[in-house]
Amino acid sequence: MAKQVINFNKFNEYIINKYGQTLYEYFFKGYTEKFLKISSNSVHANWAKTGIERSIIDKKIKGNSLFELIKSILMPIPIKTKFIYPNQLGFGYFSDRLAAYIKKKGEILTSTLIKKIGYDQSTVYLNNKNFQYKNLIWSGNLLDLIELLDEKKLNLNYLSTIFYNCIIKDNIKRNDQWIYYADKQLNIVRTSIEKNFASYLTPQNYTSIVVEKTCNYKDDIWNNPDKLKDIICQELIQVKLIDSINQIAKIYIEPIRDTYPIYHLDYERNLMELSSIINNKYHNIKLLGRTGTFWYNNCDHSIAQALNMAKHF
């Protein structure tokens, strides 16, 4: 008799089926609701599927059940995956090199507001024909694209993030790259210790701890990120990353819009409708990247997407 396959549509159903009620209650539920700002009952199961898949670097490691998860922790398999990382100037060096190459054959326009997109079968027009192109590759917010094309608005939402780059006057003796905090009493969602990605990223005897706080675009936190600075400092002590506020030399704040797509229960239908509009009416407009394809992916996936699209053209 064939085993019945159950397709769970909700995040909570999917996680409980795979890992059990206890792990769901103690970690997945709290962290997901804190991160996304919505009830886990309103989150699509694909958020769990893509999140777990992207967190497992070596695909020989399995995480399809609680047993496999515990086995991977207690009997870890050495990860043989190698990463390409710049030996100078950090991850942004990739973008800088690409920009330099583009400028040799074209141009990069910054601080240029797109007010309208026009279209015919052979040309894409921006801002009433001020700019004309054969193809438009869109990697931005899909709701902005739909509005610029004067199409009907769809229910697709994004999350934004405030990054607090805390410069610490000390060598923090932690080997972690990322640390996740499910405690809803903490404002800190995740921290990253930059020198553990590449040792040259911080000067000797200093440590950079980047604190992430998710929010909605133009909400109170987005509009007033400074109000959390003192709280962030206290929480860094609370989670034992630093011993004293006096260790913090400076905090740089950077808000980044549309950092994550939100997979609510009805997102698939809305995304399919939007994709149908673009594919059927706007053949010269292509979607790319995490924001442009509404795909909760990693940067290496986006780079692979871009390389494949370049081959297409």
Side-chain angles (χ1 to χ4, degrees), residues 41-299:
N41 296 336
S42 303
V43 180
H44 198 283
N46 285 349
W47 182 260
K49 294 174 186 176
T50 54
I52 293 167
E53 182 179 329
R54 65 194 287 276
S55 68
I56 298 174
I57 297 169
D58 193 322
K59 297 309 175 187
K60 293 191 294 293
I61 298 173
K62 304 297 181 183
N64 293 318
S65 67
L66 182 58
F67 173 76
E68 289 180 347
L69 204 61
I70 293 172
K71 182 181 176 182
S72 68
I73 294 170
L74 298 180
M75 295 180 287
I77 300 170
I79 296 174
K80 296 181 180 180
T81 304
K82 292 184 178 180
F83 291 91
I84 298 173
Y85 200 89
N87 59 10
Q88 59 178 324
L89 302 178
F91 188 77
Y93 189 54
F94 284 125
S95 301
D96 293 340
R97 286 289 301 272
L98 180 60
Y101 179 78
I102 291 171
K103 287 177 181 177
K104 290 179 181 178
K105 299 184 177 182
E107 60 180 334
I108 297 175
L109 303 176
T110 58
S111 302
T112 303
L113 182 65
I114 300 174
K115 297 179 181 178
K116 187 173 179 60
I117 297 177
Y119 179 83
D120 62 33
Q121 292 302 312
S122 60
T123 309
V124 178
Y125 305 100
L126 303 182
N127 295 351
N128 296 321
K129 300 191 177 182
N130 288 346
F131 305 99
Q132 301 181 28
Y133 304 99
K134 288 184 178 180
N135 296 285
L136 172 64
I137 299 172
W138 184 269
S139 61
N141 186 309
L142 290 174
L143 296 182
D144 291 342
L145 175 61
I146 286 295
E147 184 177 349
L148 289 166
L149 292 170
D150 202 24
E151 296 286 351
K152 75 169 187 176
K153 188 173 182 180
L154 295 167
N155 185 20
L156 292 170
N157 303 310
Y158 293 86
L159 202 63
S160 297
T161 306
I162 309 292
F163 293 88
Y164 297 85
N165 186 359
C166 306
I167 309 303
I168 312 301
K169 297 180 290 185
D170 200 356
N171 282 318
I172 303 299
K173 295 177 175 59
R174 292 286 293 264
N175 295 323
D176 310 277
Q177 291 178 321
W178 287 291
I179 308 172
Y180 296 79
Y181 299 92
D183 186 350
K184 287 187 176 181
Q185 301 303 313
L186 293 171
N187 283 276
I188 296 175
V189 172
R190 182 172 75 171
T191 59
S192 55
I193 302 175
E194 299 308 301
K195 68 178 182 181
N196 293 339
F197 292 89
S199 59
Y200 65 80
L201 288 174
T202 50
Q204 193 173 6
N205 299 322
Y206 280 82
T207 302
S208 167
I209 301 176
V210 177
V211 174
E212 298 175 38
K213 169 70 174 176
T214 52
C215 64
N216 293 308
Y217 178 57
K218 290 188 176 180
D219 70 6
D220 186 48
I221 298 299
W222 176 270
N223 292 331
N224 303 285
D226 278 314
K227 67 188 292 185
L228 284 183
K229 278 177 67 173
D230 291 342
I231 296 173
I232 294 295
C233 293
Q234 292 295 334
E235 290 185 353
L236 286 174
I237 297 173
Q238 187 177 340
V239 299
K240 302 187 185 312
L241 283 178
I242 62 173
D243 298 318
S244 166
I245 290 178
N246 295 330
Q247 291 175 275
I248 302 175
K250 193 172 182 63
I251 297 179
Y252 297 91
I253 300 176
E254 185 171 7
I256 304 292
R257 185 185 166 191
D258 304 332
T259 44
Y260 298 93
I262 298 178
Y263 285 9
H264 57 71
L265 290 178
D266 201 31
Y267 93 94
E268 276 190 314
R269 183 183 63 80
N270 284 269
L271 184 58
M272 287 178 65
E273 186 174 348
L274 183 145
S275 298
S276 177
I277 291 171
I278 299 299
N279 292 333
N280 293 329
K281 294 179 64 175
Y282 305 99
H283 304 291
N284 293 7
I285 297 178
K286 308 297 180 184
L287 305 178
L288 182 69
R290 176 189 283 197
T291 311
T293 59
F294 212 76
W295 178 27
Y296 179 33
N297 65 353
N298 281 331
C299 59

